[in-house]
Amino acid sequence: MDIRAMNVARSYDTARSVTEPQPGTGSGAALTRAIDDFATTFREGEATARAAMIGGADPHALVEALAQTELAVETVVTVRDKVVEAYQEILRMPV
C-alpha cells in the first residue's frame, strides 16, 4: 500500500470524528431542555396555586408563579407560531 494512501486514510479517520454529531449537543438537545424547563415551570406554578388555595403559600408567591407560567406559555406559543409560519412558507415554495 502506498504511504500517501495510508496518510489519507489516517487523516480521514481523525477528521470523521470531528464531523460526527455528538449526543446531547445538537438542536434536539436544546429543544428537549426547553421543553423540560417549560414543564418544570408549569408544574411549579400549579403546585404554588394549589398551596395558595389551601393557605400554604403567600399571595406574592402565587402572583410570581402565575407570571412565570404566563411567560412560559407565551414563549411556547410564539415558537409554535414561528414553526407554523416556516412550514407554510415551505408549502408556498414552487416545486
Side-chain angles (χ1 to χ4, degrees):
M1 181 177 257
D2 187 18
I3 190 75
R4 286 180 284 171
M6 289 174 50
N7 285 338
V8 169
R10 192 175 306 123
S11 297
Y12 174 74
D13 283 340
T14 58
R16 185 176 53 173
S17 65
V18 173
T19 59
E20 290 177 353
Q22 300 296 319
T25 60
S27 61
L31 181 63
T32 302
R33 277 194 311 272
I35 291 170
D36 290 342
D37 289 345
F38 170 75
T40 301
T41 301
F42 203 76
R43 270 189 242 110
E44 289 172 356
E46 285 182 335
T48 305
R50 275 191 221 105
M53 283 184 221
I54 60 172
D58 61 292
H60 177 70
L62 177 62
V63 170
E64 186 178 331
L66 289 176
Q68 288 177 348
T69 304
E70 182 181 9
L71 180 64
V73 169
E74 287 175 0
T75 302
V76 168
V77 168
T78 301
V79 169
R80 183 215 50 197
D81 290 345
K82 291 290 184 183
V83 168
V84 168
E85 183 180 318
Y87 179 73
Q88 289 174 342
E89 194 68 31
I90 290 171
L91 289 178
R92 284 190 225 121
M93 288 180 161
V95 179

